[in-house]
């Protein structure tokens, strides 16, 4: 039985630098105890509290897909105390994991629908998880058309280059990559995410749009999705509120009567519109 207060011990198996300035890294962890691996059943969009003993704990979205067995991956941007400590870690170091936490993307309810994944900047980790999950051979025929639109300031900031190359070779995903400004050697789209979404114009019929990114990108993209007649129930977003316990006890993350750690972090636009504007 999983106790969400007790960190499970893992070791770092690999560390991948994701961007040019080297402040975003993907860490792959293996559980020390086989039972912990079996108990860590997650869906894309969930998160976990990651801890380094003596340094602290922080919530991070799960970047791997449950279909990638044997380990779990997290992409961490260097921000402050704990995340900087992760960036000093080495392969083999011990890391505690409490989780999986939160609700995640509603992958069951999304079955039979076209999926439009829209990401901006480094907030792409749980979108990577979702895309990998849908593309898995056991899942791909359970979903309709898959469109992924992913934008970054420049090509050096684009995460998961290995996965993007792999996805690009497939014919069951429409992958649209964009960067803010022209760059030598860049052959994909140039421009902000929202106008690119407008240009791609995904159909809203029987579709779900999943949007993650900086607030301005979310705002402008939602406006475009509304123009394309996506209803509030068809637009999903994941919130990154400050958190402590991650399990609905400390009251650190609540918005109105909702705990982001427990009721979220994934909310539909319809749900968000009912909450006080504190996110
Ligand atoms: C559900 C969820 C999923 C997340 N997923 C990821 C992820 O996949 N990758 C990732 O790198 N980060 C993610 N974060 C953000 C991450 O938790 C924070 O960056 C981290 O807690 C900072 O800890 P620290 O000790 O390094 O920084 P601190 O020393 O605590 O703070 C450093 C700076 O960051 C600010 N800060 C701290 N926490 C937050 C926050 N939650 N939102 C905005 N500003 C904050 C502080 O005000 C301060 O300015 C997620 C947060 C949530 C709630
Ligand atoms: S983080 Fe403690 S209640 Fe949500």
């Amino acid at each position: 039985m999983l106790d969400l207060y007790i960190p499970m011990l893992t070791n770092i198996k690999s560390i991948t630098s994701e961007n040019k300035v080297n402040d975003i890294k993907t860490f792959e962890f293996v559980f020390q105890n086989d039972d912990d691996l079996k108990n860590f059943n997650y869906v894309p969009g969930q998160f976990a509290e990651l801890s380094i003993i003596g340094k602290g704990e922080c919530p991070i979205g799960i970047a791997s897909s449950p279909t990638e067995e044997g380990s779990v991956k997290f992409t961490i941007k260097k921000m402050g105390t704990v995340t900087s400590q992760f960036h000093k870690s080495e392969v083999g170091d011990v890391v505690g994991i409490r989780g999986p936490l939160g609700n995640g993307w509603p992958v069951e309810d999304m079955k039979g629908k076209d999926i439009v994944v829209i990401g901006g900047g480094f907030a792409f980790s749980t979108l990577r998880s979702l895309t990998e999950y849908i593309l898995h051979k056991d899942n791909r025929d359970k979903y309709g058309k898959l469109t992924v639109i992913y934008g970054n300031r420049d090509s050096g900031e684009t995460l998961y280059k290995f996965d993007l190359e792999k996805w690009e070779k497939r014919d069951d995903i429409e992958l649209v990559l964009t960067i803010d400004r022209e760059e030598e050697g860049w052959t994909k789209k140039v421009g902000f995410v929202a106008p690119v979404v407008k240009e791609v114009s995904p159909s809203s019929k029987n579709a779900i749009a999943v949007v993650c990114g900086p607030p301005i990108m979310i705002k402008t993209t939602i406006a475009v999705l509304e123009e394309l007649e996506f209803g509030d129930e068809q637009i999903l977003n994941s919130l990154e509120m400050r958190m402590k316990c991650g399990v609905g006890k400390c009251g650190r993350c609540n918005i109105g009567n909702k705990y982001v750690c427990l009721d979220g972090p994934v909310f539909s636009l319809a749900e968000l519109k009912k909450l006080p504007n504190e996110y």
Side-chain angles (χ1 to χ4, degrees), residues 104-250:
W105 304 115
V107 286
E108 286 303 313
D109 297 344
M110 288 159 84
K111 281 183 179 163
K113 300 194 168 149
D114 286 354
I115 309 295
V116 187
V117 171
I118 306 171
F122 96 98
F124 196 73
S125 57
T126 65
L127 299 183
R128 178 206 177 266
S129 171
L130 177 66
T131 305
E132 273 293 314
Y133 180 84
I134 293 173
L135 286 174
H136 189 262
K137 61 179 171 35
D138 293 345
N139 296 329
R140 186 63 195 94
D141 63 355
K142 299 184 181 120
Y143 299 88
K145 184 173 184 205
L146 173 63
T147 307
V148 175
I149 301 169
Y150 179 32
N152 278 283
R153 221 175 304 149
D154 56 57
S155 64
E157 289 296 300
T158 306
L159 309 186
Y160 310 124
K161 293 185 180 69
F162 173 79
D163 300 301
L164 298 175
E165 275 174 27
K166 202 177 61 181
W167 297 349
E168 223 160 21
K169 291 186 186 130
R170 297 179 60 137
D171 58 9
D172 54 358
I173 170 174
E174 181 183 3
L175 177 65
V176 182
L177 300 177
T178 184
I179 56 173
D180 291 357
R181 280 174 292 277
E182 295 279 357
E183 200 180 283
E184 208 183 318
W186 180 259
T187 54
K188 316 264 165 39
K189 298 223 176 277
V190 175
F192 294 136
V193 170
V196 170
V197 173
K198 193 166 181 171
E199 191 187 326
V200 174
S201 232
S203 166
S204 58
K205 200 170 160 228
N206 194 32
I208 295 282
V210 177
V211 190
C212 279
I216 183 68
M217 175 241 144
I218 304 258
K219 195 172 162 210
T220 50
T221 301
I222 286 176
V224 170
L225 289 172
E226 285 172 340
E227 267 179 55
L228 296 171
E229 297 184 345
F230 278 78
D232 292 349
E233 296 285 355
Q234 291 174 276
I235 302 174
L236 304 178
N237 181 220
S238 183
L239 298 185
E240 282 198 5
M241 294 294 286
R242 302 287 176 81
M243 290 183 186
K244 264 290 181 228
C245 68
V247 292
K249 299 291 179 200
C250 72

